[in-house]
Each structure stands twice: as C-alpha cells, then as structure tokens.
Amino acid sequence: MKVKEVGMRLLSKAVLANVKKEANSACVFLGYQPKMPEKAKKLKTKNG
C-alpha cells in the first residue's frame, strides 16, 4: 500500500471514533447545542 492510502485509512478511523464520541455527548455550554447531521445521529447509542 502507498503511504497516502495508509494515512487516509488511519485518519478515517480517527474521525469515525471522534464522531461516535461526539454523537453520545452534550455541549457544555448551556443553551447551545448545534444541530447534528442525520448520519451522525445514526451512530448514537440507545442507552449512551
């Protein structure tokens, strides 16, 4: 594999892990919660 492909795979895994974490958390600022994209909502856990 080329270095660029490996880098993109690592980056995509990191981004996916971050989106999963962010989908299950709330904003710390009271009164401000940005709209979540529909694709990110699908990653949200039921009891998390």
Side-chain angles (χ1 to χ4, degrees):
M1 271 191 236
K2 296 181 181 179
V3 175
K4 186 175 181 180
E5 291 175 8
V6 173
M8 290 303 289
R9 285 188 182 180
L10 289 173
L11 182 62
S12 66
K13 286 180 182 181
V15 168
L16 182 61
N18 189 35
V19 169
K20 285 181 180 180
K21 185 183 106 184
E22 292 293 326
N24 293 312
S25 64
C27 184
V28 295
F29 296 109
L30 298 175
Y32 177 72
Q33 184 72 28
K35 297 287 183 188
M36 188 180 305
E38 289 297 321
K39 289 186 178 184
K41 285 182 182 179
K42 292 179 183 178
L43 297 173
K44 196 169 189 175
T45 59
K46 302 283 184 198
N47 297 324

Coordinates of all heavy atoms in Angstrom, one line a residue:
M1 N 0.8 -1.2 0.0 CA 0.0 0.0 0.0 C 0.9 1.2 0.0 O 2.0 1.2 0.5 CB -0.9 0.0 1.2 CG -2.2 -0.6 1.1 SD -3.2 -0.3 2.5 CE -3.6 -1.9 3.0
K2 N 0.3 2.2 -0.5 CA 1.1 3.5 -0.6 C 0.9 4.2 0.8 O -0.1 4.0 1.5 CB 0.5 4.4 -1.7 CG 0.8 3.8 -3.1 CD 0.3 4.7 -4.1 CE 0.5 4.1 -5.5 NZ 0.0 4.9 -6.6
V3 N 1.8 5.1 1.1 CA 1.8 5.8 2.3 C 0.5 6.7 2.4 O -0.1 6.8 3.5 CB 3.0 6.7 2.4 CG1 3.0 7.6 3.7 CG2 4.3 5.8 2.5
K4 N 0.1 7.3 1.3 CA -1.1 8.1 1.3 C -2.3 7.3 1.7 O -3.2 7.8 2.5 CB -1.3 8.8 0.0 CG -2.4 9.8 -0.1 CD -2.4 10.5 -1.5 CE -3.4 11.5 -1.6 NZ -3.5 12.2 -2.9
E5 N -2.5 6.1 1.2 CA -3.6 5.3 1.5 C -3.7 4.9 2.9 O -4.7 4.9 3.6 CB -3.6 4.0 0.6 CG -3.9 4.3 -0.9 CD -3.7 3.0 -1.8 OE1 -3.6 1.9 -1.2 OE2 -3.8 3.2 -3.0
V6 N -2.5 4.5 3.5 CA -2.4 4.1 4.9 C -2.8 5.3 5.8 O -3.6 5.2 6.7 CB -1.0 3.6 5.2 CG1 -0.9 3.4 6.7 CG2 -0.7 2.3 4.5
G7 N -2.3 6.5 5.4 CA -2.6 7.7 6.2 C -4.1 8.0 6.1 O -4.7 8.4 7.1
M8 N -4.7 7.9 5.0 CA -6.1 8.1 4.8 C -7.0 7.1 5.7 O -8.0 7.5 6.2 CB -6.6 8.1 3.4 CG -6.0 9.3 2.6 SD -6.5 10.9 3.3 CE -8.2 10.9 2.9
R9 N -6.6 5.9 5.7 CA -7.3 4.9 6.5 C -7.2 5.2 8.0 O -8.2 5.1 8.7 CB -6.7 3.5 6.2 CG -7.2 3.0 4.9 CD -6.8 1.5 4.7 NE -7.2 1.0 3.4 CZ -7.0 -0.2 3.0 NH1 -6.4 -1.0 3.8 NH2 -7.4 -0.5 1.8
L10 N -6.0 5.6 8.4 CA -5.8 6.0 9.8 C -6.7 7.2 10.2 O -7.3 7.3 11.2 CB -4.4 6.2 10.2 CG -3.5 5.0 10.2 CD1 -2.0 5.4 10.3 CD2 -3.9 4.0 11.3
L11 N -6.7 8.2 9.3 CA -7.4 9.4 9.5 C -8.9 9.1 9.6 O -9.6 9.6 10.4 CB -7.1 10.4 8.4 CG -7.8 11.8 8.6 CD1 -7.4 12.4 9.8 CD2 -7.5 12.6 7.4
S12 N -9.4 8.3 8.7 CA -10.8 8.0 8.6 C -11.3 7.2 9.9 O -12.3 7.4 10.4 CB -11.2 7.2 7.4 OG -10.6 5.9 7.4
K13 N -10.4 6.3 10.4 CA -10.7 5.6 11.6 C -10.8 6.6 12.8 O -11.6 6.5 13.7 CB -9.7 4.5 11.9 CG -9.9 3.3 11.0 CD -8.8 2.2 11.3 CE -9.0 1.1 10.4 NZ -8.0 0.0 10.6
A14 N -9.8 7.5 12.9 CA -9.8 8.5 13.9 C -11.1 9.4 13.9 O -11.7 9.7 14.9 CB -8.5 9.3 13.8
V15 N -11.4 9.8 12.7 CA -12.6 10.7 12.5 C -13.9 9.9 12.9 O -14.7 10.5 13.6 CB -12.7 11.2 11.1 CG1 -14.1 11.8 10.8 CG2 -11.6 12.2 10.8
L16 N -14.0 8.7 12.5 CA -15.2 7.9 12.9 C -15.3 7.7 14.4 O -16.3 7.8 15.0 CB -15.1 6.5 12.2 CG -16.3 5.6 12.5 CD1 -17.6 6.2 12.0 CD2 -16.1 4.2 11.9
A17 N -14.2 7.4 15.1 CA -14.2 7.3 16.5 C -14.6 8.6 17.2 O -15.3 8.6 18.2 CB -12.8 6.9 17.0
N18 N -14.1 9.7 16.7 CA -14.4 11.0 17.2 C -15.9 11.3 17.1 O -16.6 11.8 18.0 CB -13.6 12.1 16.6 CG -13.7 13.4 17.3 OD1 -13.9 13.5 18.5 ND2 -13.7 14.5 16.6
V19 N -16.5 11.0 15.9 CA -17.9 11.3 15.6 C -18.8 10.4 16.6 O -19.8 10.9 17.1 CB -18.2 11.0 14.2 CG1 -19.7 11.0 13.9 CG2 -17.6 12.1 13.3
K20 N -18.4 9.2 16.8 CA -19.1 8.3 17.7 C -19.1 8.9 19.1 O -20.1 8.9 19.8 CB -18.6 6.9 17.7 CG -18.9 6.1 16.5 CD -18.4 4.7 16.5 CE -18.7 3.9 15.3 NZ -18.2 2.5 15.4
K21 N -18.0 9.4 19.5 CA -17.9 10.0 20.9 C -18.7 11.3 21.0 O -19.5 11.5 21.9 CB -16.4 10.3 21.2 CG -16.2 10.8 22.6 CD -14.7 11.2 22.8 CE -14.7 12.7 22.8 NZ -13.5 13.3 22.9
E22 N -18.7 12.1 19.9 CA -19.4 13.4 20.0 C -20.9 13.1 19.8 O -21.7 13.9 20.4 CB -18.9 14.3 18.8 CG -17.5 14.8 19.0 CD -17.3 15.7 20.1 OE1 -18.3 16.5 20.4 OE2 -16.3 15.7 20.8
A23 N -21.3 12.1 19.2 CA -22.8 11.8 19.0 C -23.4 11.4 20.3 O -24.6 11.6 20.5 CB -23.0 10.7 18.0
N24 N -22.6 10.9 21.2 CA -23.1 10.5 22.5 C -22.8 11.5 23.7 O -22.9 11.1 24.8 CB -22.6 9.1 22.9 CG -23.1 8.1 21.9 OD1 -24.3 8.0 21.7 ND2 -22.2 7.3 21.4
S25 N -22.5 12.7 23.3 CA -22.2 13.7 24.4 C -23.1 15.0 24.1 O -23.6 15.2 23.1 CB -20.7 14.0 24.4 OG -20.4 14.6 23.2
A26 N -23.1 15.8 25.1 CA -23.9 17.0 25.1 C -22.9 18.2 25.2 O -21.8 18.0 25.6 CB -24.9 17.1 26.2
C27 N -23.3 19.3 24.7 CA -22.5 20.5 24.8 C -22.4 21.0 26.2 O -23.4 21.0 26.9 CB -23.1 21.6 23.8 SG -22.1 23.1 23.7
V28 N -21.2 21.5 26.6 CA -21.1 22.0 28.0 C -21.7 23.4 28.1 O -21.9 23.8 29.3 CB -19.6 22.0 28.4 CG1 -19.0 20.6 28.4 CG2 -18.7 22.9 27.4
F29 N -21.9 24.1 27.1 CA -22.4 25.5 27.2 C -24.0 25.4 27.3 O -24.6 24.7 26.4 CB -22.0 26.3 26.0 CG -20.6 26.6 25.9 CD1 -19.8 26.0 24.9 CD2 -20.0 27.4 26.8 CE1 -18.4 26.2 24.9 CE2 -18.6 27.7 26.8 CZ -17.8 27.1 25.8
L30 N -24.5 26.0 28.3 CA -26.0 25.9 28.5 C -26.7 26.7 27.4 O -26.3 27.8 27.0 CB -26.4 26.5 29.8 CG -25.8 25.7 31.0 CD1 -26.1 26.5 32.3 CD2 -26.3 24.3 31.1
G31 N -27.6 26.1 26.8 CA -28.4 26.8 25.8 C -27.9 26.7 24.3 O -28.5 27.2 23.4
Y32 N -26.8 26.0 24.1 CA -26.2 25.9 22.8 C -25.9 24.5 22.5 O -25.0 23.9 23.1 CB -25.0 26.8 22.6 CG -24.4 26.6 21.2 CD1 -25.1 27.1 20.1 CD2 -23.2 25.9 21.0 CE1 -24.6 27.0 18.8 CE2 -22.7 25.7 19.7 CZ -23.4 26.2 18.6 OH -22.9 26.1 17.4
Q33 N -26.7 23.9 21.6 CA -26.4 22.5 21.1 C -26.6 22.6 19.6 O -27.7 22.7 19.1 CB -27.3 21.5 21.7 CG -27.1 20.1 21.4 CD -25.8 19.5 22.0 OE1 -25.4 20.0 23.1 NE2 -25.2 18.6 21.4
P34 N -25.5 22.5 18.8 CA -25.6 22.6 17.4 C -26.4 21.4 16.8 O -26.4 20.3 17.4 CB -24.2 22.6 16.9 CG -23.4 22.0 18.0 CD -24.1 22.3 19.3
K35 N -27.0 21.6 15.7 CA -27.8 20.5 15.0 C -26.8 19.4 14.6 O -25.7 19.7 14.1 CB -28.5 21.1 13.8 CG -29.5 22.1 14.1 CD -30.7 21.5 14.8 CE -31.8 22.6 15.0 NZ -32.9 22.1 15.8
M36 N -27.2 18.2 14.8 CA -26.4 17.0 14.5 C -26.9 16.5 13.1 O -28.1 16.3 12.9 CB -26.6 15.9 15.5 CG -25.6 14.8 15.4 SD -25.8 13.5 16.6 CE -25.7 14.4 18.1
P37 N -25.9 16.2 12.2 CA -26.3 15.7 10.9 C -26.9 14.3 11.1 O -26.7 13.6 12.0 CB -24.9 15.5 10.2 CG -24.0 16.4 10.9 CD -24.5 16.5 12.3
E38 N -27.8 13.9 10.1 CA -28.5 12.7 10.2 C -27.6 11.5 10.3 O -27.9 10.5 11.0 CB -29.5 12.5 9.0 CG -30.7 13.5 9.1 CD -31.6 13.2 10.3 OE1 -31.8 12.0 10.6 OE2 -32.0 14.1 10.9
K39 N -26.5 11.5 9.5 CA -25.6 10.4 9.5 C -24.9 10.2 10.9 O -24.6 9.1 11.3 CB -24.5 10.6 8.4 CG -25.1 10.4 7.0 CD -24.1 10.4 6.0 CE -24.7 10.2 4.6 NZ -23.7 10.1 3.6
A40 N -24.7 11.3 11.6 CA -24.1 11.2 12.9 C -25.1 10.7 13.9 O -24.7 10.0 14.8 CB -23.5 12.6 13.3
K41 N -26.3 11.1 13.7 CA -27.4 10.6 14.6 C -27.5 9.1 14.6 O -27.8 8.4 15.6 CB -28.7 11.2 14.3 CG -28.9 12.6 14.7 CD -30.3 13.1 14.3 CE -30.4 14.6 14.7 NZ -31.7 15.1 14.4
K42 N -27.2 8.5 13.4 CA -27.3 7.0 13.3 C -26.2 6.3 14.1 O -26.4 5.1 14.5 CB -27.1 6.6 11.8 CG -28.3 7.0 11.0 CD -28.1 6.6 9.6 CE -29.3 7.1 8.7 NZ -29.1 6.8 7.3
L43 N -25.1 7.0 14.5 CA -24.1 6.4 15.3 C -24.3 6.5 16.8 O -23.6 6.0 17.6 CB -22.7 7.1 15.0 CG -22.3 7.0 13.5 CD1 -21.0 7.9 13.3 CD2 -21.9 5.5 13.2
K44 N -25.4 7.2 17.2 CA -25.7 7.4 18.6 C -26.2 6.1 19.2 O -27.0 5.4 18.6 CB -26.8 8.5 18.7 CG -26.9 9.1 20.1 CD -27.8 10.3 20.1 CE -27.8 10.9 21.4 NZ -28.5 12.2 21.4
T45 N -25.7 5.8 20.4 CA -26.1 4.6 21.1 C -27.5 4.8 21.8 O -27.9 5.9 22.1 CB -25.1 4.2 22.2 OG1 -24.9 5.2 23.1 CG2 -23.8 3.8 21.5
K46 N -28.2 3.8 22.0 CA -29.5 3.8 22.6 C -29.5 4.3 24.1 O -30.3 5.1 24.5 CB -30.2 2.5 22.5 CG -30.4 2.0 21.1 CD -31.5 2.7 20.4 CE -31.7 2.0 19.0 NZ -32.4 2.8 18.1
N47 N -28.6 3.7 24.9 CA -28.5 4.0 26.3 C -27.3 4.8 26.7 O -27.0 4.9 27.8 CB -28.5 2.6 27.1 CG -29.7 1.8 26.8 OD1 -30.8 2.3 26.7 ND2 -29.5 0.5 26.8
G48 N -26.7 5.5 25.7 CA -25.5 6.2 26.0 C -25.7 7.6 26.1 O -25.2 8.5 26.4

